[in-house]
Amino acid sequence: MNAESIMKTQVIKVMEGNTVRSVIEKFINNGISGLPIVNDRNEIIGYISDGDIMRYIGKHKENMMNAFSFVNFLHGDDDKFEERARKILDYNVMKIAKKSIYTVKWDEDIEEIARILGKKQIKKLPVERNDVLVGIISRGDVIRSAFKYLL
């Protein structure tokens, strides 16, 4: 079994010029939590997940009271969670996306795919052929494919 035999070919993706707002809309409308980012040639250039967004809006400023943070505090520049969440909607997706991501080739063996997903603790792997996005494989896809004939 290889990637091509278990991958989903209808990949929900986002273009590199899109905003985080469009990503969140895709998350909500499709019940997903991550998606690949592609350029105009459909080459995979990044990946964004709900975890990336959470890490960004959950950032806290340093607790140390240095001169810079004191000035920011006086001028009201200490963004609150809701303010950061509102601001992030209009950011370009590449501002917070992972640019160094794991992918697999369309003919990769399922055993190697399982190894990557497990070792790297990631939920999905974009699949490429000739450097172009052609599918996506989740941990669930691997489990279903590996065990459907054993149960």
Side-chain angles (χ1 to χ4, degrees), residues 3-139:
E4 186 176 40
S5 66
I6 64 172
M7 70 184 186
K8 289 181 176 65
T9 57
Q10 299 297 318
V11 182
I12 300 166
K13 59 189 174 188
V14 68
M15 301 297 292
E16 66 183 322
N18 288 146
T19 63
V20 172
R21 179 184 309 272
S22 66
V23 169
I24 293 173
E25 287 170 348
K26 287 179 188 241
F27 285 178
I28 292 168
N29 294 334
N30 297 286
I32 59 175
S33 59
L35 44 85
I37 304 164
V38 297
N39 62 21
D40 59 353
R41 294 178 303 280
N42 208 39
E43 297 166 330
I44 306 162
I45 60 166
Y47 195 89
I48 187 162
S49 70
D50 55 0
D52 298 322
I53 294 169
M54 286 286 90
R55 277 186 291 281
Y56 197 88
I57 63 175
K59 285 183 178 177
H60 296 293
K61 302 245 183 207
E62 287 184 19
N63 290 332
M64 293 177 17
M65 190 63 104
N66 60 31
F68 181 71
S69 63
F70 184 69
V71 170
N72 284 345
F73 174 76
L74 290 177
H75 292 287
D77 292 337
D78 189 24
D79 288 349
K80 303 291 184 231
F81 178 83
E82 287 182 31
E83 292 168 354
R84 286 192 305 272
R86 198 171 294 112
K87 282 181 183 178
I88 196 175
L89 291 174
D90 295 321
Y91 286 175
N92 178 281
V93 67
M94 294 306 291
K95 182 169 183 170
I96 62 171
K98 288 182 182 79
K99 286 118 184 136
S100 176
I101 62 167
Y102 295 97
T103 64
V104 292
K105 301 292 184 199
W106 64 278
D107 58 351
E108 188 68 66
D109 182 75
I110 191 171
E111 187 174 349
E112 178 62 11
I113 294 166
R115 187 193 69 74
I116 294 168
L117 288 168
K119 183 176 182 182
K120 302 302 179 185
Q121 298 182 350
I122 52 180
K123 295 179 184 179
K124 296 178 184 173
L125 277 171
V127 181
E128 57 187 356
R129 184 176 192 163
N130 299 323
D131 298 323
V132 172
L133 177 67
V134 293
I136 196 154
I137 297 175
S138 71
R139 294 184 293 198

